[in-house]
Amino acid sequence: MAESGPVAESIPPPSEERETSVSDRSIVVRSQSQSSGFFSKFRYHLFAAGFAFLLSPLAFIWTGQSPVDPTNYAERTRRVLKTTPLIDGHNDLPWQLRIELHNRIYDGRVDLEKRLLGHTDLQRMRAGMVGGQFWSVYVHCDTQQRHFEDPSWIVRDTLEQIDVTRRFINEHPQHLQYCDSAACARKAFQAGRISSMIGIEGGHQVGGSIASIRQMYNLGARYITLTHNCDNAFGTSASTVAAGGPDGGLSKLGYEAVKEMNRLGMMVDLSHVSHQTMRDVLSVARAPVIFSHSGAYSVTPHLRNVPDDVLRTVRRNGGIVMAVFVNRFLKMKDPDQATIHDVVDHIMHIAEVCGWECVGVGSDFSGTPYVPIGLEDVSKFPDLVQLLMERGATDEQVRLFAGENILRVWSNIEQRAREIQATGEKPVEEEYEGRQWHKGLKDAPWLLRGSREKAIAAGAVDAPYMFNVDAEGKHNPAVKEV
């Protein structure tokens, strides 16, 4: 066997007839460059082959993973979702807490760590390998509200939904972690927790006020669906058009709302809005948009779904469409026959038209009562991923779909907001044109000349509230001139 290591060659001993020096007594180490060994003959070939291998699809085994059969979709799915967070764009569990528990979560009636009825609990979220969840703090449109300025409790109820969502997240720190940034969502996943974010499902929930949008952002909401199933001060809903109403698109105040949301870094969600509202928003958006739970209109022509021309614009915008699981949006004529395969059809169409870089998942679990066969609850997400792989999606495409897309879109929205704010742009102060303001007092300490006269002309109050004080300087309920 040929030697493969260096060879030590002795210097002749001092007895030989030549001058002895330190160097003469040294050990000389020479490389066996002339060796006829296997490595010497083929070392350049081996180096080239090794380099090519590192660039090959099989290089992943260097990370400690063994090769996997490409048709073993279950194992491929497990590996993808172990390293990439699956982030669902829309779950209405907080609404169930409201209508079933009246937001009382500490009395022991519900343990989210145990198997419950419905679509969502922590046990099934873990089984479904969920890595992140946008929780919807939904409140119904107020049917008593005939005009945007009519009194309503919707803003109060929305605040309560934000409160209960933050509280139930905090109740389960071993499973859930509240997040208000894309970076936090990644860190939560790395720590083994489900990142938990807040989305507001309808512009009616901010009372038609851009100032309220700012406050909702400060409270932790990170997206607002511009409309729900009712028009509001910002724009037209898909439900209005479905009922035969005109598609008025985005309102004047809606343009200002989008501008402010871009400045804040609040994601603009276009699920539920009319098709013209979608187009109007995309024409002025300064940051990517999202559809938190929508399908493809070309697959199922339901007005809640996204037309192809909008999908192409979303691609240019850098946004995302997160595929919904609502039966009626998947199969209009026979919704009871909707299956997991219909969801895949929508996903594949969105990917085909918009690209794999702008598709995600937005289930609407715990909001819709009717879900597809094969996607009965949050434990079924891996089945969806496996079916995508069976239909030809690569692991990298699945990573984009599962979570990388929404995290990239969200990060870009945050970055765009920082850029806008760096210009010194001020918060938007526009209000709904028909808004009624308080008149004030005639003798208020007015700041500007002419304000008192304007207030008097508008019907300002003569005197402040005097707490039923009579002529004797005492509180007297009989005194009505207060």
Side-chain angles (χ1 to χ4, degrees):
M1 179 173 135
E3 292 181 5
S4 59
V7 176
E9 180 180 343
S10 299
I11 301 298
S15 59
E16 294 187 8
E17 294 181 0
R18 66 192 201 85
E19 185 175 345
T20 303
S21 65
V22 174
S23 61
D24 289 336
R25 294 192 298 273
S26 301
I27 299 296
V28 177
V29 179
R30 295 178 181 152
S31 172
Q32 269 194 304
S33 59
Q34 303 303 318
S35 171
S36 60
F38 176 83
F39 180 78
S40 297
K41 288 183 178 180
F42 298 104
R43 62 183 182 274
Y44 296 115
H45 299 80
L46 290 171
F47 288 150
F51 183 72
F53 178 76
L54 288 174
L55 297 179
S56 76
L58 295 178
F60 69 85
I61 65 172
W62 288 96
T63 65
Q65 293 195 87
S66 59
V68 62
D69 182 347
T71 63
N72 188 346
Y73 306 119
E75 177 59 18
R76 285 174 59 193
T77 294
R78 188 192 69 80
R79 292 187 181 194
V80 167
L81 298 186
K82 277 285 187 180
T83 53
T84 299
L86 186 148
I87 300 178
D88 179 21
H90 197 89
N91 185 300
D92 282 292
L93 179 64
W95 176 248
Q96 292 301 128
L97 298 179
R98 183 178 187 85
I99 62 175
E100 289 192 66
L101 307 180
H102 297 173
N103 288 350
R104 297 174 182 268
I105 63 173
Y106 304 131
D107 59 11
R109 283 188 293 164
V110 168
D111 184 351
L112 290 174
E113 296 186 21
K114 294 181 178 178
R115 180 68 160 81
L116 301 172
L117 300 176
H119 300 154
T120 308
D121 55 57
L122 294 173
Q123 185 180 121
R124 284 179 289 173
M125 290 184 83
R126 288 301 196 182
M129 302 187 76
V130 177
Q133 183 65 65
F134 281 90
W135 301 104
S136 171
V137 291
Y138 166 73
V139 174
H140 275 321
C141 294
D142 189 345
T143 57
Q144 303 297 317
Q145 203 174 22
R146 302 297 180 185
H147 186 273
F148 304 142
E149 282 295 294
D150 290 345
S152 174
W153 294 109
I154 290 176
V155 174
R156 176 203 65 182
D157 295 350
T158 300
L159 295 175
E160 291 174 348
Q161 289 310 98
I162 291 175
D163 171 74
V164 74
T165 301
R166 296 289 294 265
R167 288 191 291 119
F168 90 71
I169 292 169
N170 290 339
E171 274 296 288
H172 302 281
Q174 69 275 36
H175 295 291
L176 305 176
Q177 179 177 331
Y178 167 73
C179 282
D180 59 8
S181 70
C184 173
R186 287 192 184 278
K187 290 178 181 177
F189 178 71
Q190 292 164 1
R193 291 186 287 273
I194 300 169
S195 59
S196 293
M197 292 70 70
I198 293 173
I200 296 175
E201 194 178 3
H204 65 287
Q205 294 185 236
V206 299
S209 167
I210 293 176
S212 292
I213 292 175
R214 286 190 285 272
Q215 298 314 304
M216 296 300 182
Y217 183 88
N218 290 340
L219 290 173
R222 284 300 176 266
Y223 77 64
I224 296 178
T225 314
L226 215 54
T227 75
H228 192 254
N229 293 336
C230 57
D231 294 350
N232 58 49
F234 304 134
T236 308
S237 70
S239 58
T240 293
V241 181
D247 191 347
L250 198 62
S251 71
K252 180 180 177 181
L253 187 63
Y255 284 103
E256 298 296 331
V258 170
K259 178 181 178 182
E260 181 63 4
M261 290 170 74
N262 289 165
R263 190 193 69 84
L264 286 170
M266 177 81 84
M267 287 178 270
V268 179
D269 177 21
L270 299 181
S271 289
H272 282 283
V273 308
S274 71
H275 290 177
Q276 188 57 47
T277 303
M278 297 176 189
R279 297 179 182 111
D280 288 346
V281 170
L282 284 162
S283 73
V284 297
R286 299 182 289 172
V289 303
I290 73 166
F291 289 78
S292 67
H293 57 307
S294 293
Y297 186 80
S298 287
V299 178
T300 305
H302 194 292
L303 288 171
R304 269 284 279 105
N305 292 332
V306 188
D308 282 0
D309 70 292
V310 174
L311 288 176
R312 288 188 285 269
T313 308
V314 171
R315 182 173 191 163
R316 293 192 293 271
N317 166 265
I320 185 171
V321 179
M322 307 179 85
V324 69
F325 297 176
V326 178
N327 283 6
R328 183 69 72 176
F329 305 161
L330 301 172
K331 221 176 181 66
M332 288 180 70
K333 187 176 180 180
D334 301 304
D336 292 341
Q337 302 304 311
T339 74
I340 187 174
H341 294 276
D342 295 301
V343 177
V344 172
D345 289 342
H346 281 258
I347 293 169
M348 298 302 283
H349 183 83
I350 295 167
E352 179 183 353
V353 177
C354 193
W356 277 103
E357 293 76 16
C358 71
V359 63
V361 58
S363 68
D364 204 15
F365 278 137
S366 295
T368 177
Y370 309 112
V371 291
I373 298 167
L375 284 172
E376 289 80 9
D377 58 50
V378 294
S379 71
K380 302 295 186 177
F381 285 116
D383 294 348
L384 178 63
V385 172
Q386 290 179 42
L387 194 52
L388 286 171
M389 290 178 171
E390 187 176 335
R391 291 276 288 269
T394 67
D395 290 8
E396 183 56 34
Q397 289 169 339
V398 168
R399 290 183 193 280
L400 294 173
F401 162 79
E404 289 300 331
N405 283 339
I406 183 59
L407 290 175
R408 184 195 69 252
V409 169
W410 189 4
S411 294
N412 289 344
I413 291 169
E414 293 173 321
Q415 177 59 32
R416 190 70 186 100
R418 288 191 289 269
E419 292 169 358
I420 293 170
Q421 292 171 22
T423 68
E425 182 175 308
K426 299 295 185 183
V428 171
E429 294 185 320
E430 298 300 317
E431 299 285 353
Y432 176 61
E433 288 180 338
R435 178 156 183 176
Q436 299 295 313
W437 294 88
H438 292 290
K439 305 299 189 296
L441 300 171
K442 290 181 179 178
D443 296 322
W446 300 104
L447 298 174
L448 303 174
R449 290 181 178 179
S451 294
R452 183 173 183 274
E453 290 71 23
K454 291 179 181 178
I456 292 173
V461 178
D462 287 331
Y465 192 83
M466 300 306 294
F467 298 93
N468 303 79
V469 176
D470 62 19
E472 300 298 321
K474 298 178 180 179
H475 292 295
N476 185 347
V479 177
K480 301 300 181 184
E481 295 79 15
V482 296

